[in-house]
Amino acid sequence: MPNNPSSGRVARIVGVRESLVLIEVDEDTPIVKNEMGHICVGDERLKAEVLRVRGRIADMQVFEDTRGVRVGDRVELSGEMLSATLGPGLLGQVFDGLLNPLHELAEKYGFFLPRGVTVPALDPDKKWAFTPVVETGRRVSPGGIIGTIPEGPFQHRIMIPFNEPEPVEITWIRGGTFPVDTPIARYRRRGDGKEIELTMTQRWPVRRPIPEPLMRRGFSERLYPERPLTTATRIIDTFFPIAQGGTACIPGPFGAGKTVLQSLIARYSDVDIVIIVACGERAGEVVETITEYPNTKDPRTGATLMDRTIIICNTSSMPVAAREASIYSGLCLGEYFRQMGYRTLMIADSTSRWAQAMREISGRMEEIPGEEGFPAYLDSAIKSVYERAGVIRGAHGEVGSLTMIGTVSPAGGNFEEPVTQATLGTVKTFLGLSADRAYKRFYPAIDPLISWSRYLDQLADWYREHLDPLWVEDVKRLQDLLRQGDDIYQIMQVTGEEGISLEDFVTWQKAVLVDMVYLQQDAFDPVDVYMPRERQLESFRLLKRIVDTQYDFADKETARECFVKLTALYKNWNYSPGESPEYQRYRQEIEDLVSRYALEAKAS
């Protein structure tokens, strides 16, 4: 399986600036932006990428340590962009930002990885059982499926290369068990009549969206997101939904629970495949993710969560150039599985480290800086990443989605910094984490007063059909209640409880109840950690009934006692399995307590 083979074109280094080198080519040697090359340092070949071309001089970012690189060293140009090898064997793997499998590297070279070493992303010796789904003589469009391979809980679909300009004719195909590099089919192009052998793999440039050529030629179609992503986290699914094929960001200060929240989303969301990109995070967090996922039971399949997960990790101690590339590598894999028709979720943690890598590289290239030293093209770079999410109908008619969630780590929790602001202008769901809520142990620490989602209105038709005709209106009413309750609380901070009326006190208690029993969720309780849509709907209707009820309290202390009891009963109800006797008992006790203090009951 070749990895960026040399095209026979060479250049020489004329300058070295940390991980950035300047190369010079002769007048007859073409060179293009984003082309890959290898810097030859003794027996080592360091992978690098062209960032900028100025006449015969080009800037290359080196993905590894540049110690020992000198002016005059030879550079071999590959003739292709930074590309990913796509095929069976990706699921369950842990890669670095350039898609080198880390377990394979560790087995061969130990835990301290030497530079200049590459390992094929897919095991060339492992055999896979290929079953054709088309016959000889069949015309298949680019991206069309010609066969399947069982891979874990999924059928890995082998497709015609995405860059073919028109439908091709299958001239030979066979089934059986083969390594990934063994030819399994041949097809003929209609234009030049050339026959091409097809293996189980194909390579694709990670910075180029896979659907781009397919949509341009009409072989794929981008669809409007029409259904929400169910995460089993109440505050997200109800108040700030994310669409399947949509975009979201989770900014928050350190210690606000980003890592736990993204782990819960990855584990319980109704998606087929999860891709985790640990971009520039601390090594301890990355190691925890790598060791936790293989030992975590998948609630959907009963096997381990790693069976349908791909992890791409670049810790903060790894070269910034590889960190910058890791986001694109993850997107390329996500688009590949989406093209098969699978629902894919990509979580990037964190895009702040990715942007900092861009800032560092931009500074070495002496580009004019923007705000806080970030490159002037930061906004367009962030938009180009999130725009690769979406819902796609492939050439075979099946619909797949790629949902992207990026966490942002603004320094000091300052949401006004450039990366957060550029992200907020791009995504459609903003889940802002609050240090104050995290300090109070209100988890997930999503602040309902600053967070928002444009999908609540966009998916209104789905909610009306599958949940409740008035779902969107009811959710917005509870959001207004939370804001009203906060306003009353701010007044109480100045005047005390004596400065507000009994009616306002009850309104504040209702807002606190919504926060305590619905917005907060116990990630360590086996029942409360996962709440499916059906139970969320039941809980929301009960909560709405409690909030809509008019109460007749003698004084504020009576109101407080009532809502404290309601909170305790409701939490116990959340912790009770749906089929247990306790579940029905706690619900009945809640309804009895509400009825006891209801205005209608007192009147009767």
Side-chain angles (χ1 to χ4, degrees), residues 546-560:
I546 296 173
V547 168
D548 289 344
T549 299
Q550 297 296 318
Y551 296 94
D552 183 21
F553 295 117
D555 50 36
K556 295 174 183 174
E557 189 60 35
T558 305
R560 190 197 323 276

Side-chain angles (χ1 to χ4, degrees), residues 183-228:
I184 54 173
R186 282 194 298 268
Y187 63 84
R188 181 186 296 115
R189 290 173 174 164
R190 184 167 57 181
D192 56 13
K194 183 179 180 181
E195 280 204 4
I196 298 175
E197 284 190 340
L198 186 64
T199 67
M200 300 180 192
T201 68
Q202 57 176 303
R203 290 179 62 79
W204 189 263
V206 298
R207 297 184 189 274
R208 184 185 181 194
I210 288 177
E212 183 182 89
L214 298 174
M215 290 191 297
R216 188 170 61 245
R217 300 185 180 107
F219 300 123
S220 286
E221 178 186 6
R222 182 177 289 272
L223 305 177
Y224 199 67
E226 295 180 340
R227 58 183 301 119

Side-chain angles (χ1 to χ4, degrees), residues 440-552:
K440 295 176 182 178
R441 298 296 186 265
F442 288 0
Y443 290 114
I446 299 171
D447 192 333
L449 302 178
I450 65 173
S451 302
W452 46 260
S453 172
R454 298 191 182 102
Y455 293 119
L456 185 61
D457 291 318
Q458 181 176 319
L459 303 175
D461 291 340
W462 189 92
Y463 289 124
R464 293 190 189 100
E465 180 180 350
H466 295 88
L467 295 183
D468 190 283
L470 297 176
W471 176 266
V472 175
E473 292 79 4
D474 290 340
V475 169
K476 290 182 177 180
R477 283 178 52 208
L478 286 192
Q479 289 176 336
D480 290 339
L481 173 67
L482 292 170
R483 284 189 283 268
Q484 189 178 356
D486 183 69
D487 291 340
I488 296 171
Y489 176 73
Q490 298 303 326
I491 295 174
M492 289 171 53
Q493 292 290 92
V494 178
T495 66
E497 292 183 6
E498 299 79 9
I500 63 172
S501 65
L502 177 59
E503 181 182 357
D504 285 344
F505 184 79
V506 172
T507 299
W508 174 62
Q509 288 288 346
K510 289 179 178 179
V512 171
L513 176 71
V514 173
D515 191 347
M516 297 294 289
V517 305
Y518 202 86
L519 303 189
Q520 298 175 43
Q521 202 163 342
D522 192 345
F524 297 97
D525 182 84
V527 176
D528 197 36
V529 67
Y530 173 77
M531 183 168 282
R533 282 277 182 193
E534 297 76 15
R535 182 161 175 175
Q536 286 187 42
L537 178 59
E538 181 182 3
S539 179
F540 184 82
R541 284 173 172 168
L542 178 60
L543 187 64
K544 178 177 172 292
R545 179 190 165 193
I546 296 173
V547 168
D548 289 344
T549 299
Q550 297 296 318
Y551 296 94
D552 183 21

Side-chain angles (χ1 to χ4, degrees), residues 79-346:
E80 69 171 16
M81 299 171 64
L82 176 62
S83 300
T85 302
L86 307 173
L90 293 170
L91 294 180
Q93 292 282 0
V94 180
F95 298 104
D96 68 3
L98 304 179
L99 298 183
N100 292 306
L102 292 182
H103 289 308
E104 296 285 337
L105 286 171
E107 288 178 4
K108 291 185 177 182
Y109 304 101
F111 293 107
F112 296 97
L113 308 180
R115 67 177 186 175
V117 171
T118 59
V119 174
L122 305 178
D123 187 349
D125 299 323
K126 185 173 182 177
K127 295 184 177 181
W128 299 88
F130 173 72
T131 303
V133 296
V134 297
E135 299 176 349
T136 301
R138 175 83 174 271
R139 299 194 66 79
V140 184
S141 300
I145 298 171
I146 65 166
T148 61
I149 296 171
E151 183 179 6
F154 304 104
Q155 289 293 320
H156 193 109
R157 292 154 184 166
I158 304 301
M159 295 171 279
I160 294 295
F162 308 121
N163 56 357
E164 287 294 337
E166 58 185 355
V168 298
E169 180 186 353
I170 303 297
T171 59
W172 171 78
I173 190 169
R174 62 172 175 171
T177 302
F178 316 103
V180 291
D181 286 334
T182 302
I184 54 173
R186 282 194 298 268
Y187 63 84
R188 181 186 296 115
R189 290 173 174 164
R190 184 167 57 181
D192 56 13
K194 183 179 180 181
E195 280 204 4
I196 298 175
E197 284 190 340
L198 186 64
T199 67
M200 300 180 192
T201 68
Q202 57 176 303
R203 290 179 62 79
W204 189 263
V206 298
R207 297 184 189 274
R208 184 185 181 194
I210 288 177
E212 183 182 89
L214 298 174
M215 290 191 297
R216 188 170 61 245
R217 300 185 180 107
F219 300 123
S220 286
E221 178 186 6
R222 182 177 289 272
L223 305 177
Y224 199 67
E226 295 180 340
R227 58 183 301 119
L229 175 76
T230 300
T231 66
T233 301
R234 292 187 293 262
I235 186 172
I236 298 177
D237 292 345
T238 300
F239 290 93
F240 312 112
I242 306 169
Q244 284 190 9
T247 55
C249 70
I250 309 176
F254 296 106
K258 290 192 296 292
T259 302
V260 175
L261 180 58
Q262 71 178 17
S263 176
L264 293 174
I265 293 174
R267 187 181 310 172
Y268 295 110
S269 293
D270 60 339
V271 295
D272 299 313
I273 291 161
V274 178
I275 299 173
I276 305 291
V277 180
C279 179
E281 287 300 298
R282 295 182 295 275
E285 289 188 11
V286 174
V287 170
E288 182 180 346
T289 300
I290 294 174
T291 55
E292 175 187 336
Y293 275 60
N295 299 317
T296 301
K297 183 178 179 180
D298 184 357
R300 296 180 69 242
T301 65
T304 67
L305 189 61
M306 199 66 198
D307 288 345
R308 60 184 184 96
T309 302
I310 302 172
I311 298 177
I312 299 174
C313 57
N314 275 92
T315 64
S316 54
S317 60
M318 293 181 177
V320 293
R323 185 193 309 175
E324 191 263 346
S326 61
I327 294 280
Y328 297 103
S329 298
L331 283 168
C332 184
L333 299 187
E335 290 174 337
Y336 177 60
F337 286 103
R338 174 180 64 184
Q339 210 63 37
M340 295 184 198
Y342 290 119
R343 299 169 299 172
T344 308
L345 169 66
M346 174 176 156

